[in-house]
Amino acid sequence: FVSFVQKISVYPIMQCSKGGSMHHTLEKAMRQSQGMGKRLAQRIERAWRWLHYTPIVHLTTRHQADVVKHLQALRGHDRFLRFGHAATDAQIERYVEGIRWEQDQVYGIYDYKERLLAMAHLAELGPLHGEPAAEFGVSVRKGARGKGLGARLFAHAVDHARNHGIAWLCIHALNENKPMLSIARHAGARFERHGTETEGFLHVEKGPALGRFTEGLMHLFARTEYEVIHEVHHVQQWLALVDEVRNGVRQGRHRSAS
């Protein structure tokens, strides 16, 4: 990437030293740099799709705006399933502002376009049967459903609970929220039904001593993957700017010629 930036930085200077009009040189430089950037972005995108792998990122206050955008993209019934009521945009903003980022665990899965496809919130509760407990909530972007993202986030939450001594994972869902209840059922949770709502409880056995180290290592890998996505997104924005400048140079050349 550094080599690519160096090439597009010195290219106009090299061409000017060889002679030729400034308009022609700038347009040629923009055309070549745009082609180089597109090839770079396309290669990364193809590799991302070929791997069929999207890392689970540990979200912090840095990602707060992404979480708000993701949750507000949920429409009527989806909001009803996620929050138990048709939450307004303002209520979603207050919910995200109330997340205890230093204490709770918030996870997300991004795509190569830096869109938050799915996110989960693991909030610590008071003791359950004298043991530490946490409540799990998840949401998945409409176009990304049916791909197992919610199940991956739940499995990740179970691993975190196992590594950090959380003995119980609790799920509070409406009876009609079949995907969430199915995920918990496959993990071995037991359920208590109360009218239109269902509570699920999964007892988690304590994990091995190296569990925390492994989890931390996976977070490091995921953060690195996310930074790659972030940089590629900036390259794509830069390419759009290059195209805009190139069009401006072409228009300027036509005006000067006339």
Side-chain angles (χ1 to χ4, degrees):
F1 183 76
V2 173
S3 174
F4 164 70
V5 173
Q6 290 173 340
K7 285 180 181 179
I8 64 173
S9 299
V10 303
Y11 181 78
I13 299 174
M14 291 172 63
Q15 293 301 312
C16 284
S17 66
K18 295 178 181 179
S21 69
M22 178 60 72
H23 283 309
H24 178 72
T25 299
L26 285 176
E27 184 179 354
K28 189 175 181 180
M30 292 299 101
R31 187 165 55 250
Q32 177 163 329
S33 59
Q34 185 183 37
M36 294 168 64
K38 282 184 177 179
R39 287 193 296 273
L40 172 66
Q42 287 170 355
R43 287 174 182 173
I44 294 175
E45 179 180 332
R46 283 198 300 269
W48 195 263
R49 288 180 172 179
W50 179 76
L51 287 172
H52 295 289
Y53 171 71
T54 46
I56 295 176
V57 181
H58 181 215
L59 304 182
T60 66
T61 52
R62 170 187 174 185
H63 308 94
Q64 187 166 334
D66 291 345
V67 173
V68 171
K69 184 178 180 180
H70 166 80
L71 293 174
Q72 288 183 344
L74 299 175
R75 292 302 171 227
H77 190 63
D78 292 331
R79 293 191 184 191
F80 187 71
L81 293 179
R82 175 61 182 85
F83 297 103
H85 64 279
T88 64
D89 285 351
Q91 289 173 325
I92 287 175
E93 289 177 2
R94 287 196 293 272
Y95 162 76
V96 176
E97 289 172 358
I99 294 176
R100 300 165 296 181
W101 296 93
E102 300 298 326
Q103 180 178 344
D104 296 348
Q105 297 296 312
V106 186
Y107 307 110
I109 297 177
Y110 285 85
D111 66 4
Y112 64 92
K113 292 184 179 180
E114 208 175 3
R115 296 177 301 187
L116 185 58
L117 300 180
M119 61 87 54
H121 181 193
L122 187 63
E124 291 189 17
L125 302 174
L128 179 64
H129 304 305
E131 296 179 297
E135 183 177 12
F136 176 85
V138 66
S139 56
V140 180
R141 185 186 178 102
K142 187 174 182 179
R145 293 170 191 166
K147 300 178 181 179
L149 301 185
R152 282 187 58 200
L153 288 171
F154 187 75
H156 192 80
V158 172
D159 286 340
H160 174 82
R162 182 177 293 114
N163 295 330
H164 293 265
I166 299 174
W168 291 94
L169 283 188
C170 306
I171 302 96
H172 190 92
L174 296 173
N175 296 338
E176 58 187 293
N177 194 346
K178 304 299 183 182
M180 181 67 257
L181 297 178
S182 176
I183 290 171
R185 183 177 295 108
H186 280 93
R190 62 176 179 83
F191 297 98
E192 295 179 3
R193 189 165 179 170
H194 307 282
T196 60
E197 300 178 350
T198 297
E199 288 183 319
F201 304 92
L202 177 66
H203 190 261
V204 181
E205 299 293 338
K206 189 174 181 180
L210 288 177
R212 286 197 183 191
F213 173 77
T214 303
E215 183 182 356
L217 195 60
M218 293 305 296
H219 281 172
L220 178 60
F221 288 156
R223 188 165 65 246
T224 302
E225 296 270 8
Y226 171 78
E227 293 300 334
V228 170
I229 299 173
H230 188 65
E231 291 304 319
V232 169
H233 185 67
H234 279 292
V235 168
Q236 292 171 335
Q237 290 178 324
W238 181 85
L239 290 175
L241 177 62
V242 167
D243 192 49
E244 183 178 344
V245 172
R246 179 186 171 191
N247 290 334
V249 170
R250 184 184 294 112
Q251 292 171 6
R253 187 178 66 178
H254 289 166
R255 284 196 296 267
S256 62
S258 59

